[in-house]
C-alpha cells in the first residue's frame, strides 16, 4: 500500500514538472512563432501538439485539485461563455451561416481548454516568475530577429530575403517595404513584445540589487524598438495603454526605494531605446520615429491630396512612402465599410447575435478585424459580457484586496496591464479570438487566481492579528 502511494506521488510530481515545462514551451512558441506552424502535420500545428501533451500530463493535477477548480469563479465564467458559444453555434447553423466560418470561430476559442490546467500549474510565485522569464527572453529573441532584419534590409538584402522567405510561409511574420530605407516588419506575435518590455521592468523593480541590470534595460529597449518597427497604430495604442498601467501600478505599490529604481529603469530603458533609434536613423539617413508619427496621423493624408500628379515627389524614396501611405488610406476606407456592415449586423440581433460564422458582404473570408464588434455580431451582448466577465471579475477582486500589502499586487498589476494592452489591440484586430490572445488570457487568469488567493491569505492573517490584539486588550 505504501509503495503504491509512493508511486502515485512520483507520477504526480513528474506530471507537475512536465506540465510546467510544457506551459513554458507553449507560451514561448506564442512569443516567437506567430501561428505556431514551425512544425505542422497537415492542419495540426506544433502548438496544438504541445497543448495536447500539456493537457494530458495536467490531467492528474486537475483530478487532485477538482474541489478547488469547482469553487473557481473564473473557471465558471469561462464555462458560461463556452456554453453560450454552443448556443451561438446552433443559432449560426439555423441561420444558414457557412460551416467553414463556424469552425474557424470555434477553433480560436477552443484554446480556453488550457484554463483549468493553468490554475493547477501556476500555484507558486516562483513558477509565475519562471513563466514570465521564459516569455521575456523569447520576446527578446523576436526583437533581436527584427533588429537583424532591419540591418539586413539596409546592408545585406540576401539575408533579409532569406529571413522573409522563411518566416512568411510559416505565418510568423509579414514584411513589406515602405521605402528603400524603411521596412515594415509585423510579427504575428507582436503583442508579446509587451511582455518583453513589462516583465523586464518588473524583474528590475523587484530585484534585491540596487544596481540596474544591463540585461533588463537592453531587453526593454530592443522590444520597444521592435514595436516601433511594426508601424501599426493599434500596436502603439496597446503599448501606450500597457505602459501607463505598468507605471501606475509600480509607482503606487512600490516603496520609496522601489520607485527610485523604477524611474531609473524607465529612464535608462527610454534612453537606450532613443540611442538605438537614433543610431539606425543616422546610419540609414532617415527618420524612423518621424514616419511612425506620420503613420499614426494618416487620417490627414487625404486632406493633403497625397500623390497628386501636379506635385510629384522629388525622388523614389518619397514616392515609395507616399504609395505606402495611400495603401493605408485605402485600408482605412475598407475598415470604415467593414464597420458599417458590422453595425448593421449587430442591429439585426443585438442580444443573442446572428450566430457563429456570421459574415459581412465586404469580408467574405470572415476576417472582420474589429474583434468586439465581430463577437457582438455573432454572440450578441450576452456573449461579449460573458467573454469579458473573467477580466472584470479579476479587476473587481483586485480593487477589493489591493490595500493588503503583498508583493503579489505588483505581479497582478503587470499581468493586468499587459492584458489591457491585448484587449486594446483587439479593437482593431482579431487577436483575442485566436490562440495567441486566448492562451495569454488563460495564463493571466491563472496568475490573477493565484494572486487573489495570496492577497486573501494576507487579509486573513491581518484579521487574526487584529482579533488577537483586541482580545488581549479586553483581557
Amino acid at each position: 500500500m505504501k509503495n503504491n502511494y509512493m508511486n502515485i506521488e512520483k507520477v504526480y510530481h513528474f506530471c507537475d514538472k512536465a506540465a510546467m515545462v510544457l506551459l513554458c514551451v507553449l507560451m514561448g512558441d506564442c512569443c516567437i512563432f506567430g501561428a505556431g506552424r514551425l512544425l505542422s502535420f497537415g492542419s495540426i500545428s506544433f502548438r496544438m501538439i504541445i497543448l495536447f501533451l500539456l493537457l494530458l500530463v495536467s490531467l492528474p493535477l486537475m483530478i487532485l485539485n477538482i474541489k478547488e477548480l469547482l469553487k473557481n469563479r473564473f473557471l465558471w465564467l469561462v464555462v458560461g461563455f463556452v456554453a453560450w458559444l454552443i448556443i451561438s453555434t446552433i443559432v449560426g447553423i439555423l441561420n444558414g451561416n457557412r460551416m467553414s466560418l463556424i469552425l474557424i470561430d470555434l477553433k480560436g476559442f477552443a484554446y480556453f481548454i488550457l484554463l483549468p490546467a493553468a490554475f493547477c500549474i501556476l500555484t507558486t510565485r516562483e513558477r509565475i516568475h519562471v513563466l514570465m522569464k521564459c516569455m521575456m527572453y523569447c520576446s527578446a529573441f523576436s526583437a533581436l530577429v527584427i533588429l537583424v532584419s532591419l540591418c539586413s534590409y539596409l546592408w545585406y538584402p540576401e539575408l533579409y530575403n532569406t529571413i522573409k522567405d522563411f518566416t512568411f510561409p510559416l505565418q510568423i511574420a509579414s514584411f513589406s517595404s515602405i521605402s528603400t530605407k524603411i521596412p515594415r516588419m509585423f510579427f504575428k506575435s507582436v503583442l508579446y513584445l509587451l511582455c518583453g518590455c513589462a516583465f523586464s521592468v518588473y524583474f528590475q523593480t523587484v530585484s534585491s540589487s540596487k544596481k540596474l541590470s544591463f540585461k533588463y534595460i537592453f531587453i526593454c529597449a530592443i522590444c520597444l524598438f521592435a514595436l516601433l518597427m511594426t508601424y501599426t497604430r493599434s500596436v502603439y495604442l496597446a503599448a501606450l495603454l500597457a505602459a501607463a498601467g505598468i507605471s501606475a501600478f509600480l509607482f503606487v505599490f512600490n516603496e520609496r526605494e522601489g520607485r527610485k529604481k523604477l524611474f531609473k529603469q524607465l529612464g535608462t530603458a527610454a534612453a537606450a531605446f532613443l540611442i538605438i533609434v537614433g543610431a539606425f536613423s543616422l546610419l540609414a539617413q532617415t527618420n524612423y520615429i518621424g514616419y511612425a508619427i506620420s503613420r499614426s496621423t494618416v487620417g490627414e493624408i487625404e486632406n493633403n491630396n497625397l500623390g497628386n500628379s501636379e506635385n510629384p515627389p522629388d525622388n523614389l524614396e518619397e514616392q515609395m512612402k507616399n504609395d505606402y501611405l495611400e495603401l493605408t488610406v485605402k485600408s482605412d476606407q475598407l475598415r470604415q465599410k467593414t464597420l458599417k456592415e458590422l453595425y448593421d449586423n449587430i442591429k439585426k440581433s443585438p442580444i443573442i447575435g446572428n450566430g457563429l460564422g456570421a459574415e459581412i458582404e465586404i469580408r467574405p473570408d470572415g476576417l472582420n478585424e474589429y474583434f468586439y464588434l465581430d463577437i457582438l455580431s455573432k454572440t450578441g451582448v450576452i456573449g461579449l459580457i460573458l467573454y469579458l466577465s473573467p477580466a472584470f471579475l479579476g479587476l473587481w477582486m483586485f480593487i477589493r484586496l489591493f490595500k493588503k500589502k503583498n508583493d503579489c499586487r505588483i505581479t497582478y498589476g503587470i499581468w493586468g496591464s499587459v492584458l489591457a494592452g491585448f484587449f486594446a489591440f483587439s479593437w482593431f484586430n482579431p487577436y483575442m479570438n485566436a490562440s495567441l490572445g486566448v492562451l495569454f488570457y488563460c495564463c493571466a487568469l491563472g496568475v490573477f487566481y493565484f494572486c487573489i488567493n495570496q492577497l486573501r491569505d494576507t487579509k486573513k492573517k491581518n484579521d487574526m492579528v487584529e482579533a488577537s490584539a483586541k482580545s488581549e486588550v479586553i483581557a
Side-chain angles (χ1 to χ4, degrees), residues 49 153 241 275 297 379 429:
I49 295 170
Y153 183 83
L241 183 61
I275 289 170
T297 56
T379 66
N429 294 275

Side-chain angles (χ1 to χ4, degrees), residues 198 201 237-253 262 266 398 409-421:
V201 172
L237 172 65
L240 284 172
L241 183 61
I246 291 161
S247 301
F249 272 109
L250 290 177
F251 182 81
V252 171
F253 298 132
L262 171 64
L266 293 178
F398 184 73
R409 294 181 304 176
I410 298 176
T411 310
Y412 201 114
I414 290 289
W415 278 84
S417 298
V418 177
L419 182 62

Side-chain angles (χ1 to χ4, degrees), residues 267-283:
T268 311
F273 163 71
L274 291 174
I275 289 170
I276 295 172
V277 177
F280 273 103
S281 297
L282 186 64
L283 291 169

